[in-house]
């Protein structure tokens, strides 16, 4: 057991050296590591927000939005389909109770309607499941119910898109190394190290940025608007900068999907901040046509169901560019521009959890955590040294290597070190030493029983390994539970524990055995332990 | 040069003579903890109940009453204002607003932050946390689930590796550890949050360390000294592993105490829970886990079927002279 074949010796040393080298980039002060080539700093330990300062935001999507949007869009699609020649007359269409229902005026056309609807309900993807169920009641009433599978898929797609939009928006803020991760079915985690005041970010992420251009309904009676009654085909929307709501036509002239770019600019006449937008080719053509047809009439620029401004169309607007003015500050104009060019969010997101830690507090925690860790480690080192002398030295070497290897492995996985992580680190050190304590105490015992030096060492390792193994497996079980079921800080802690368990078994058992075996080759006659 | 020995070589302390008194002490501790938990409850952090917590360091001493009035003027519910660290370091905690919408915790936290920054120039907001009621409920369920599953998984593992009596012993010992630590949290009203759950899970891990080391030795001795009674076997096993127990408890509690006294305030409760858990865990390994083995009368026969397994070839060593 104490004979190490050469290959095993080399492999052990190689692992130690590799693990230690991996830790180097994480340990260098920033002034040095900034000058290193990129490939070296790619494997470093990330500092958690509690140590580095920054903002953490947990966003949750209103999946009921997706549900409603699907109903609305199915209704529009049905209306469109039935209007196609040969036109089929339908009526009494509604989207109540989470389903779309309508009546076919002519019983003989029920089959034709079904014919047209079927292609709309074939589910996308490979599952082959329909995303809508079609049902005919009382011979002429069609009821279309979204299936659970179709809904799940729609939510999934919306979340993928939303995550991408969030990523673009956070990037636009020019923040350093943000992390954006999907979590669960309907959540997105945003972490931005160094960000001290997340207010702007939250506002930006809270904007759906659904941009629509609609014609103002000039026929609407102001008194009716005040009573919140819109003429047929129109709707009433708030218009904060003008003081009161106005009526606009329901049909959208142009929507945010047709935007190619949006920038904060200044109005050449007044110098006020505005948002300049450029349409893509299709949007430009449509805008030109609509403005030509409606010269002299006002149109409303609507963002998230609120009118920003409602200018008059003075002439046909060619060139595919337009600007939005409306009492902006530079910041608010810039924010709207970012929101518009990063695209609209397919679902509303709201902040359900938030934590911001200032960089001072982060630095304080870091310093006191490291100091406490260092004192603790030093105390252990001295204790081991006085208790086991030579074998204490081996244990201490293994301990230092273990610390470096944990850092190295964490760097390899780009794991994040958090404040509880530091505590986990300290504990791991204690546990790693326990393995050596078990071994050394066992060696002592065997010596007392009169075994030879070699036999005592051999026995010590063999008998203690069993308990070390069981103890570490149970610890690993606890750590895995923490990782799987835990959240936030618990997971950060679990990562350190899991890594620590693996490296500490390696260093405390394999690596010390290698050192001990080396020493035994000198055939020592006495063993002071 | 001779190494320092914290425990003399051949200790022969009759630990098990103490087991009835120990059982009484354990029972009293557990009952007291349950009573405390029922009477005072735990002081849950915002992780688990939702709400917002803002830590501020002021540039000069603040009138707590005035601050409280300002905070209450925001109309976001009853605020708890606490000093931590120095008198200028203040933590303000508020419950989840009534009529909660998903983002209201976050908005209330922002309001509070703005108020402080405008009313107290020079005040630095150290951290802002806001958790909505919905998330907090989930976090709590997840935490409790992790804790429960970890205990069961570990007990099953021990049952497989040893014998069912050991699994039951470990589980009961762990339950005692958990209850006593929870009771301590109920007593001191230290904040109980996600970090505390991590601490509890770790306590489980490490307290098991201890139990496994002793169980391992019990198993070994049961096979070696087949005629010895269980009480003697336990005493022998505890004595044999005593120096290890003392060394390890020291080497683990030392750094933890350093964290308690010199570590960041934020993890004070966390470190304290762990230090306490390790002390309680050592106690329960010696008395609770082993007490169960006596109750179930574990004997060498318990291992006979298993002896064919892992350690069938282990060398038989003569009993040491006592």
């Amino acid at each position: 057991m104490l004979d190490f074949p050469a290959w095993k010796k080399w492999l052990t040393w190689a692992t130690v050296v590799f693990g230690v080298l991996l830790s180097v980039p994480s340990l260098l002060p920033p002034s040095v590591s900034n000058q290193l080539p990129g490939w070296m700093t790619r494997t470093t330990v990330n500092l958690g927000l509690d140590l580095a300062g920054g903002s953490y935001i947990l966003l949750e999507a209103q999946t009921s939005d997706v549900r409603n949007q699907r109903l609305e869009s199915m209704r529009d699609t049905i209306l469109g389909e039935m209007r196609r020649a040969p036109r089929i007359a339908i009526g009494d269409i509604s989207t109540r109770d989470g389903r779309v229902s309508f009546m076919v005026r002519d019983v003989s056309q029920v089959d034709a309607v079904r014919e047209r609807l079927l292609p709309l309900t074939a589910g996308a993807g490979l599952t082959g499941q329909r995303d809508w169920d079609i049902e005919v009641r009382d011979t002429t009433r069609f009821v279309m119910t979204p299936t659970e599978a179709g809904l799940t898929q729609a939510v999934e797609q919306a979340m993928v898109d939303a995550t991408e939009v969030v990523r673009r928006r956070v990037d636009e803020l020019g923040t350093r190394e943000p992390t954006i991760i999907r979590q669960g079915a309907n959540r997105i985690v945003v972490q931005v190290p160094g960000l001290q005041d997340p207010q702007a970010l939250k506002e930006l992420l809270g904007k759906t940025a659904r941009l629509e251009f609609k014609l103002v309904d000039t026929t609407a009676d102001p008194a009716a608007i005040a009573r919140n009654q819109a003429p047929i085909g129109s709707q009433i929307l708030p218009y904060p900068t003008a003081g009161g709501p106005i009526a606009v036509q329901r049909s959208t002239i142009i929507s945010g999907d047709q935007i190619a770019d949006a920038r904060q600019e200044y109005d050449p006449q007044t110098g006020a901040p505005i948002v300049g937008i450029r349409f893509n080719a299709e949007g430009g053509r449509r805008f030109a046509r609509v403005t030509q047809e409606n010269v002299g009439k006002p149109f409303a620029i609507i963002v998230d169901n609120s009118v920003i401004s409602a200018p008059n169309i003075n002439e046909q607007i060619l060139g595919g560019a337009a600007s939005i003015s409306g009492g902006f500050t530079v910041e608010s104009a810039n924010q709207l521009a970012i929101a518009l060019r990063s695209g609209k969010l397919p679902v509303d997101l709201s902040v359900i959890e938030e934590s911001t830690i200032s960089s001072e507090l982060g630095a304080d925690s870091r310093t006191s955590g490291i100091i406490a860790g260092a004192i603790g480690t030093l105390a252990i080192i001295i204790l081991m040294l006085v208790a086991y002398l030579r074998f204490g030295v081996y244990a201490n070497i293994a301990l230092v290597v273990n610390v470096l290897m944990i850092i190295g492995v964490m760097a390899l996985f780009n794991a994040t070190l958090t404040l509880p992580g530091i505590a986990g680190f300290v504990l791991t050190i204690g546990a790693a030493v326990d393995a050596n304590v078990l071994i050394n105490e066992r060696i002592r015992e065997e010596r007392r029983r009169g075994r030879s030096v070699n036999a005592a060492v051999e026995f010590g390792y063999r008998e203690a390994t069993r308990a070390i193994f069981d103890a570490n497996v149970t610890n690993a079980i606890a750590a895995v539970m923490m990782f799987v079921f835990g959240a936030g800080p618990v997971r950060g802690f679990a990562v350190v524990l899991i890594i620590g368990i693996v490296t500490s078994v390696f260093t405390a058992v394999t690596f010390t055995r290698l050192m001990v075996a080396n020493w035994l080759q000198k055939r020592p006659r006495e063993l002071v332990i | 040069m001779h190494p320092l020995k914290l425990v003399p070589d051949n200790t022969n302390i009759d630990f098990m003579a103490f087991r009835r008194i120990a059982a009484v002490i354990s029972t009293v501790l557990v009952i007291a903890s349950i009573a405390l938990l029922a009477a005072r409850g735990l002081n849950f952090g915002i992780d688990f109940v939702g709400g917002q917590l803002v830590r501020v360091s002021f540039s000069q001493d603040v009138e707590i009453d005035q601050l409280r009035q300002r905070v209450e003027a925001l109309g976001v519910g009853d605020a708890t204002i606490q000093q931590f660290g120095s008198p200028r370091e203040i933590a303000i905690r508020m419950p989840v607003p009534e009529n909660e919408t998903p983002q209201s915790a976050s908005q209330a936290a922002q309001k509070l932050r703005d108020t402080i920054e405008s009313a107290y120039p020079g005040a630095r907001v150290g951290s802002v946390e806001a958790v909505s009621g919905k998330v907090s409920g989930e976090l709590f369920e997840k935490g409790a689930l992790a804790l429960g599953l970890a205990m069961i998984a570990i007990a099953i593992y021990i049952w497989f590796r040893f014998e069912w009596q050991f699994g039951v012993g470990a589980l009961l010992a762990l339950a005692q550890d958990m209850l006593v630590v929870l009771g301590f949290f109920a007593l001191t009203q230290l904040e109980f949050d996600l970090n505390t759950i991590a601490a509890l899970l770790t306590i489980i891990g490490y307290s098991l360390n201890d139990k496994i080391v002793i169980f391992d030795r019990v198993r070994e001795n049961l096979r070696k000294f087949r005629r010895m009674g269980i009480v003697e076997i336990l005493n022998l096993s505890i004595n044999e592993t005593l120096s290890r127990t003392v060394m390890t408890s020291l080497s683990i509690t030392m750094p933890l105490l350093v964290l308690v006294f010199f570590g960041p305030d934020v993890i004070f409760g966390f470190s304290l829970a762990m230090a306490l858990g390790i002390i309680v865990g050592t106690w329960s390994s010696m008395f609770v886990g082993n007490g169960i083995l006596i109750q179930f009368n574990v004997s060498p026969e318990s291992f006979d079927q298993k002896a064919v397994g892992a350690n069938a070839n282990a060398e038989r060593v003569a009993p040491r002279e006592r």
Side-chain angles (χ1 to χ4, degrees):
Chain A
M1 198 167 189
L2 288 165
D3 306 324
F4 267 83
W7 66 268
K8 213 170 172 181
K9 221 178 255 184
W10 284 112
L11 194 64
T12 308
W13 275 111
T15 313
V16 167
V17 170
F18 181 65
V20 169
L21 278 182
L22 274 175
S23 71
V24 171
S26 310
L27 295 173
L28 295 172
S31 54
V32 181
S33 62
N34 286 341
Q35 289 164 14
L36 291 175
W39 60 265
M40 276 184 81
T41 51
R42 214 167 296 139
T43 49
T44 48
V45 175
N46 297 321
L47 284 185
L49 294 181
D50 52 355
L51 296 175
S55 290
Y56 161 97
I57 293 172
L58 180 62
L59 298 159
E60 188 176 76
Q62 302 323 114
T63 41
S64 56
D65 282 4
V66 178
R67 204 177 279 263
N68 293 335
Q69 278 168 24
R70 267 165 61 82
L71 289 178
E72 296 294 324
S73 86
M74 182 46 86
R75 185 190 61 185
D76 293 350
T77 315
I78 292 171
L79 287 173
E81 278 296 310
M82 297 309 148
R83 243 179 247 139
R84 258 187 333 134
R87 199 181 168 111
I88 300 177
I90 59 166
D92 193 22
I93 189 161
S94 83
T95 54
R96 274 193 302 272
D97 306 327
R99 42 178 73 139
V100 183
S101 79
F102 61 91
M103 295 222 324
V104 181
R105 300 248 187 254
D106 185 348
V107 182
S108 68
Q109 288 192 299
V110 166
D111 287 337
V113 169
R114 188 196 286 277
E115 207 63 2
R116 285 195 194 181
L117 290 181
L118 273 176
L120 303 178
T121 62
L126 301 168
T127 54
Q129 276 172 298
R130 301 207 154 267
D131 47 13
W132 293 83
D133 287 331
I134 306 178
E135 213 185 319
V136 184
R137 293 181 187 167
D138 307 335
T139 63
T140 57
R141 174 162 291 278
F142 271 77
V143 177
M144 297 183 62
T145 319
T147 62
E148 214 40 58
L151 202 61
T152 312
Q153 203 193 2
V155 170
E156 176 61 26
Q157 188 56 48
M159 287 309 292
V160 169
D161 294 348
T163 310
E164 189 48 40
V165 172
V166 168
R167 186 186 312 282
R168 282 202 295 266
R169 291 190 186 174
V170 176
D171 283 344
E172 288 280 358
L173 278 185
T175 45
R176 187 172 52 102
E177 298 164 29
T179 320
I180 292 127
I181 313 167
R182 258 290 291 289
Q183 192 182 73
N186 61 340
R187 291 187 180 159
I188 301 171
V189 177
V190 179
Q191 287 188 68
V192 190
L195 184 68
Q196 299 299 302
D197 185 358
Q199 189 55 18
L201 178 61
K202 282 194 290 178
E203 270 168 25
L204 187 58
L205 295 177
K207 271 197 175 52
T208 307
R210 189 168 64 242
L211 174 75
E212 295 158 307
F213 285 24
K214 293 179 174 181
L215 286 172
V216 175
D217 186 350
T218 45
T219 63
D221 171 22
I225 294 176
R227 288 197 307 271
N228 202 20
Q229 287 174 347
I232 291 169
S234 291
Q235 64 190 131
I236 293 173
L237 291 180
Y239 186 1
T241 49
I246 61 168
V248 299
Q249 293 182 2
R250 272 189 191 276
S251 60
T252 305
I253 310 173
I254 209 166
S255 72
D257 304 342
Q258 273 111 23
I259 292 181
D261 194 16
R263 299 273 155 206
Q264 183 261 317
E265 290 164 5
Y266 294 96
D267 188 326
Q269 264 113 52
T270 63
I274 55 170
V275 179
I277 49 180
R278 274 197 310 106
F279 295 111
N280 60 19
E282 192 212 332
R285 271 197 302 277
R286 203 188 290 185
F287 197 53
R289 184 166 48 81
V290 173
T291 50
Q292 184 191 22
E293 287 166 4
N294 294 287
V295 170
K297 293 182 195 160
F299 71 104
I301 300 169
I302 302 153
V303 177
D304 293 345
N305 281 329
S306 170
V307 178
I308 301 284
S309 63
N312 266 313
I313 302 172
N314 295 326
E315 56 193 323
Q316 181 185 16
I317 303 174
L318 297 168
S323 63
I324 309 172
S325 57
F328 289 119
T329 61
V330 175
E331 287 79 34
S332 65
N334 194 32
Q335 212 172 54
L336 180 58
I338 291 174
L340 289 179
R341 70 170 174 268
S342 55
K344 85 166 192 230
L345 283 170
V347 274
D348 279 344
L349 296 174
S350 46
V351 178
I352 53 169
E353 196 186 346
E354 176 198 345
S355 105
T356 301
I357 287 143
S358 74
S359 43
E360 290 95 352
L361 187 65
D364 284 356
S365 302
R366 202 161 62 222
T367 318
S368 55
I370 290 171
I371 291 176
I375 297 177
T377 312
L378 201 67
I380 294 181
I381 287 182
I382 294 171
L383 182 68
M384 290 302 281
L385 197 63
V386 297
Y388 303 119
L389 304 179
R390 171 182 289 276
F391 279 60
V393 174
Y394 294 147
N396 285 336
I397 295 174
L399 180 90
V400 174
V401 169
N402 186 28
V403 169
L404 296 176
M405 281 186 74
I406 294 176
I407 297 174
V409 176
M410 287 184 73
L412 191 65
F413 294 126
N414 275 318
T416 303
L417 182 66
T418 58
L419 194 51
I422 291 187
F425 213 99
V426 174
L427 260 174
T428 308
I429 292 167
V433 171
D434 180 49
N436 287 118
V437 171
L438 274 169
I439 295 167
N440 294 346
E441 289 293 337
R442 190 68 191 223
I443 296 175
R444 261 186 194 173
E445 245 181 276
E446 301 297 335
R447 276 298 281 166
R448 277 205 304 270
R449 287 181 188 162
R451 286 187 197 279
S452 72
V453 173
N454 267 6
V457 171
E458 172 106 30
F459 248 81
Y461 271 94
R462 187 200 291 165
E463 294 296 309
T465 305
R466 210 175 45 231
I468 295 171
F469 175 80
D470 282 333
N472 279 290
V473 171
T474 47
N475 270 332
I477 292 174
V480 168
M481 293 291 168
M482 272 192 247
F483 187 77
V484 175
F485 299 103
V490 178
R491 295 190 102 182
F493 182 63
V495 169
V496 179
L497 275 188
I498 294 171
I499 294 175
I501 287 167
V502 177
T503 58
S504 72
V505 169
F506 172 76
T507 53
V509 181
T510 313
F511 186 51
T512 58
R513 198 158 66 196
L514 180 69
M515 289 188 281
V516 171
N518 250 352
W519 171 69
L520 283 180
Q521 277 176 356
K522 293 183 202 143
R523 309 202 168 280
R525 275 184 300 142
E526 203 26 76
L527 168 63
V528 186
I529 186 165
Chain B
M1 189 178 166
H2 289 285
L4 173 80
K5 283 185 182 159
L6 295 170
V7 177
D9 273 347
N10 280 304
T11 53
N12 191 9
I13 305 167
D14 191 1
F15 284 102
M16 287 298 117
F18 190 54
R19 71 175 192 273
R20 292 200 172 81
I21 304 166
V24 172
I25 295 177
S26 280
T27 314
V28 168
L29 276 177
V30 168
I31 292 174
S33 299
I34 294 174
L36 273 169
L37 281 170
R40 305 187 61 160
L42 292 169
N43 173 19
F44 287 115
I46 60 165
D47 298 3
F48 293 151
V49 290
Q52 47 275 322
L53 178 73
V54 176
R55 289 177 206 269
V56 197
S57 32
F58 292 92
S59 52
Q60 59 234 253
D61 290 354
V62 272
E63 287 279 331
I64 298 277
D65 284 339
Q66 193 192 24
L67 179 65
R68 189 183 306 278
Q69 278 168 18
R70 285 203 167 114
V71 173
E72 266 159 23
L74 290 171
V76 280
D78 279 337
T80 318
I81 296 178
Q82 266 181 329
Q83 287 179 352
F84 70 102
S86 83
R88 288 176 190 176
E89 310 275 311
I90 289 184
I92 304 166
R93 188 177 139 181
M94 291 180 305
V96 179
E98 282 171 37
N99 315 320
E100 193 198 29
T101 61
Q103 62 268 52
S104 48
S106 161
Q107 282 164 354
Q110 188 63 37
K111 259 203 243 172
L112 180 58
R113 181 187 181 136
D114 292 344
T115 308
I116 289 165
E117 281 175 346
S118 61
Y120 300 93
R124 282 184 299 125
V125 174
S127 72
V128 180
E129 285 166 65
V131 183
S132 80
K134 188 177 167 195
V135 187
S136 61
E138 282 170 31
L139 290 176
F140 183 71
E141 277 168 27
K142 277 186 165 182
L145 189 69
L147 209 55
L149 288 179
M151 281 174 71
I152 293 168
I154 286 168
I156 292 176
Y157 176 80
I158 294 184
W159 168 35
F160 271 103
R161 287 285 296 173
F162 294 84
E163 267 305 308
W164 65 270
Q165 295 94 331
F166 291 80
V168 173
L171 197 62
L172 287 177
L174 280 185
Q176 185 223 272
D177 299 349
M178 288 302 100
L179 281 171
V180 171
V181 176
L182 287 174
F184 176 76
F185 270 81
L187 178 72
T188 56
Q189 292 289 303
L190 277 168
E191 195 169 290
F192 188 88
D193 55 17
L194 266 180
N195 287 339
T196 323
I197 294 264
L200 288 177
L201 277 161
T202 322
I203 291 170
I204 291 184
Y206 285 87
S207 138
L208 264 168
N209 235 359
D210 253 27
K211 292 164 186 58
I212 285 175
V213 169
I214 295 180
F215 283 175
D216 183 66
R217 193 55 81 100
V218 170
R219 176 171 58 183
E220 192 183 322
N221 285 336
L222 273 172
R223 287 179 184 147
K224 244 193 258 174
F225 311 114
R226 301 183 65 94
R227 268 177 225 155
M228 208 186 270
I230 180 69
V231 174
E232 287 75 37
I233 293 269
L234 289 176
N235 265 334
L236 175 65
S237 306
I238 298 176
N239 274 299
E240 280 180 347
T241 50
L242 189 61
S243 50
R244 173 265 161 195
T245 307
V246 172
M247 266 301 282
T248 297
S249 302
L250 258 181
S251 71
I252 292 181
T253 20
M254 258 186 338
L256 277 176
L257 288 179
V258 174
L259 276 176
V260 169
F261 292 112
F262 304 103
D265 293 329
V266 187
I267 53 168
F268 174 79
F270 176 79
S271 320
L272 195 61
M274 283 214 264
L276 179 70
I278 281 159
I279 296 166
V280 179
T282 309
W283 167 271
S284 75
S285 321
M286 283 191 177
F287 298 110
V288 184
N290 291 336
I292 302 289
L293 294 186
I294 296 178
Q295 283 303 312
F296 287 121
N297 201 12
V298 174
S299 65
E301 284 73 44
S302 310
F303 283 102
D304 275 355
Q305 300 96 326
K306 285 205 161 186
V308 201
N311 281 74
N313 301 327
E315 192 173 329
R316 296 279 189 269
V317 180
R320 90 177 198 231
E321 280 154 40
R322 309 179 70 201

